[in-house]
Amino acid sequence: VTLVGALTADMGETYLGQRAFDAVILDTPAEDAVDTIGRLRRDARFARVPVLVMSTDHRDLEPLFRAGAKDVLSGDLGKRQLSARLAAAIRLGRRRRLADRVLAESRVWLLQEAGRGGLPVEKYDRYLAGCRTLCDPRGLALSELHLMPRVETALLPVASLSGDMTGAILSIADATSREEDLVCAVRGLGPVAVLKGDQGASLLQHRISAILGQTTL
């Protein structure tokens, strides 16, 4: 492991933008850590980097975890326990970076399939079956979301939304989805998203409808 130190949050974000890091450790007051975590989570480049925070006050736990901290480390941790918790965060960061690379490659293929009318239903059904097999032991239920919205807005005539919007919808969904989502077009179904759990489904649909309802496409 290579440890890179930064004296300020801005310096740390500059370093993060220059190379891929597996985890971030913050040794600042809790309020500053909450602000820094928020900035990282709002930036798509760093949104999934595990963040660990040093703190000796148990009252800091709730706001830090609510902000998105992966772990909170106290000053009295032994070397072996500290090593194990850092290793867990690094493994998570590496898995997520690997997932990002796989998704980047698969996204190209999915967009090509969208240009041909979408994935065949048979392939999509095989994905759903395989995904359910992996999710059931973890207590996760798949949530299938059909993304073509019904846009009703006084800001834009409905007629101007006619035509094939699949590409635009996929782009919006792809930008707002989480790493564990599948966003693709399926023949006969149109653009769909598959989420592991129902969290985020309503937010994703709302954001797509809001963007399409206020944008001339």
Side-chain angles (χ1 to χ4, degrees):
V1 174
T2 300
L3 181 65
V4 178
L7 299 177
T8 66
D10 290 337
M11 184 184 296
E13 290 186 38
T14 298
Y15 290 160
L16 284 170
Q18 293 175 344
R19 55 177 287 190
F21 284 85
D22 296 316
V24 171
I25 304 173
L26 300 178
D27 187 8
T28 65
E31 291 184 1
D32 294 340
V34 167
D35 179 67
T36 300
I37 294 171
R39 289 168 58 181
L40 294 176
R41 294 294 176 254
R42 288 190 295 270
D43 192 318
R45 298 172 298 169
F46 317 131
R48 292 186 292 271
V49 176
V51 178
L52 302 92
V53 183
M54 301 294 298
S55 176
T56 57
D57 191 338
H58 70 278
R59 292 172 297 182
D60 295 337
L61 293 177
E62 183 180 352
L64 288 172
F65 280 121
R66 193 188 314 120
K70 165 65 179 173
D71 199 358
V72 179
L73 309 174
S74 62
D76 58 354
L77 283 176
K79 183 181 294 186
R80 296 183 66 177
Q81 186 179 9
L82 177 61
S83 176
R85 290 165 73 167
L86 290 176
I90 291 170
R91 284 196 302 270
L92 176 61
R94 288 178 178 170
R95 285 198 301 270
R96 289 184 170 176
R97 286 202 294 114
L98 176 61
D100 285 344
R101 287 199 295 268
V102 173
L103 288 172
E105 295 176 5
S106 64
R107 186 177 294 116
V108 175
W109 179 75
L110 288 172
L111 289 175
Q112 291 174 344
E113 290 296 316
R116 303 185 185 103
L119 286 178
V121 175
E122 296 79 12
K123 289 186 178 181
Y124 179 64
D125 288 341
R126 283 203 300 271
Y127 164 79
L128 291 179
C131 197
R132 286 194 179 96
T133 300
L134 294 173
C135 288
D136 286 346
R138 299 166 56 193
L140 296 175
L142 291 187
S143 176
E144 185 181 9
L145 182 63
H146 293 257
L147 299 177
M148 189 67 76
R150 296 179 179 178
V151 178
E152 297 179 2
T153 174
L155 300 177
L156 188 67
V158 175
S160 65
L161 293 175
S162 61
D164 183 12
M165 296 186 295
T166 297
I169 294 172
L170 288 177
S171 296
I172 297 169
D174 198 41
T176 58
S177 66
R178 301 187 310 277
E179 64 179 289
E180 63 270 30
D181 302 339
L182 170 71
V183 178
C184 66
V186 180
R187 293 174 193 170
L189 299 179
V192 299
V194 179
L195 297 84
K196 297 176 177 63
D198 56 3
Q199 293 182 353
S202 59
L203 176 61
L204 180 59
Q205 185 72 75
H206 177 73
R207 292 190 69 177
I208 292 172
S209 297
I211 293 174
L212 289 178
Q214 301 182 44
T215 307
T216 303
L217 300 174

